[in-house]
Amino acid sequence: MKIAMLGSLGHINRIVVPQLIQAGHEVTVISTNPERQATIEALGAHAAIGTMTDGDFLTSTFTGQDVVYLMLSGSTGDDLFQSAVSQAQIWKHAIEAAGVHNVVNLSSIGADAGEVAGSLHAYNLIESELRQLQQVNLAFVRPTGFYANLFSNLATIKADHAIYSNIPANMPQKYVAPEDIARIVLPLLTATPAGVTVKYTFSDTFTGDQFVANLRKALDMPDLQWVQISDAQYQANLTNHGVSVEIAQALVQTSRYQRDPDGLYADLNATHTIPGQVVLADFVRTFVVAYNSEGGYHSNTIAD
């Protein structure tokens, strides 16, 4: 099969691409960075250097492909929702012009909801645009929050021995590792189901209290605390770190939605999604490595 993939050699593609090549598929990896070309080609893939906002480039790259993998990456600009719609329209037009019949899209938890989901509503808008495609098998993959989002707490743990959050410490949340996303994406690329399908993926479920309890032992930091802050404090922290007011407000609304897990996870729970393999204890070991490193670990939120 011929497979084109957005996302360069990011956290998921670096797992999926080698497995596809080993299985004998012809893989084209799309990257904005010319410096990635040699690394991509060393894996045995083709490198296509360009941007996901260039419709002509995407049309050319998608032409002749059996399946295309789509994912958001890079800056969204200040108007998150308009940017999402514009990007989805570029993808849609390129897919139609290239005659692609199978598409796998990395979406997100919350993509089933409207504006109540805050920043996650962007994925609802993207899915809505892509669902307009005719005679295209379309598979949406909806991961929960990435484990890597917890790396945003590294600085305050080092400085204050504290994790600041507007999510209550006793509220269960679901997180996912790239390995468990890749486990869902891979078979969808090689055998995209007919019609429109949705697959959720998560690795483990735990509270802030459980995360802190594990870190206290792993970091030998018995005074580590989960400190709940207000929505206003959370928004101020975001804007103080360079996030636009518009996106900060959307992220605050997302956290409000997270405080209603019966709403956020309702559709996921209805599908009886089975947890992945990377549990909290596994991630804590990675978190300790990140804590003791000189950098290179960062969160994967829209704010980043």
Side-chain angles (χ1 to χ4, degrees), residues 128-171:
S128 296
E129 287 292 329
L130 294 177
R131 286 172 185 269
Q132 297 175 32
L133 289 163
Q134 302 295 313
Q135 298 181 327
V136 174
N137 299 320
L138 185 57
F140 294 112
V141 178
R142 294 178 180 171
T144 58
F146 284 24
Y147 273 124
N149 293 347
L150 294 168
F151 290 140
S152 63
N153 299 298
L154 285 168
T156 60
I157 291 175
K158 291 181 179 181
D160 304 333
H161 291 194
I163 294 174
Y164 299 100
S165 175
N166 59 344
I167 304 296
N170 62 353
M171 180 166 288

Side-chain angles (χ1 to χ4, degrees), residues 1-18:
M1 292 181 64
K2 293 183 178 181
I3 304 170
M5 302 189 65
L6 284 168
S8 190
L9 293 180
H11 296 292
I12 299 168
N13 282 7
R14 69 182 59 177
I15 300 170
V16 172
V17 170

Side-chain angles (χ1 to χ4, degrees), residues 170-228:
N170 62 353
M171 180 166 288
Q173 298 184 69
K174 297 182 185 297
Y175 287 90
V176 68
E179 295 89 337
D180 286 323
I181 299 175
R183 181 176 55 86
I184 300 299
V185 167
L186 186 63
L188 293 175
L189 288 170
T190 56
T192 310
V196 178
T197 55
V198 174
K199 291 280 188 180
Y200 285 93
T201 176
F202 74 100
S203 300
D204 202 358
T205 306
F206 52 89
T207 66
D209 282 334
Q210 290 172 312
F211 182 48
V212 167
N214 276 262
L215 283 183
R216 283 174 182 158
K217 295 179 181 179
L219 296 175
D220 191 21
M221 191 180 292
D223 62 337
L224 179 63
Q225 299 292 324
W226 182 283
V227 179
Q228 187 169 352

Side-chain angles (χ1 to χ4, degrees), residues 19-56:
Q19 294 185 49
L20 289 172
I21 293 170
Q22 186 175 14
H25 300 290
E26 185 177 330
V27 182
T28 297
V29 177
I30 298 167
S31 177
T32 61
N33 186 355
E35 296 180 359
R36 284 289 182 96
Q37 182 168 347
T39 304
I40 292 168
E41 293 176 348
L43 291 174
H46 303 291
I49 307 302
T51 69
M52 66 180 182
T53 57
D54 185 338
D56 291 339

Side-chain angles (χ1 to χ4, degrees), residues 278-295:
V278 184
V279 299
L280 173 59
D282 299 319
F283 175 69
V284 166
R285 286 191 287 270
T286 302
F287 195 92
V288 171
V289 172
Y291 182 86
N292 293 318
S293 75
E294 296 299 324

Side-chain angles (χ1 to χ4, degrees), residues 234-236 238-239 243-254:
Y234 175 48
Q235 182 170 327
L238 289 169
T239 55
V243 179
S244 71
V245 172
E246 292 81 4
I247 290 182
Q249 290 174 339
L251 290 168
V252 169
Q253 179 57 38
T254 297

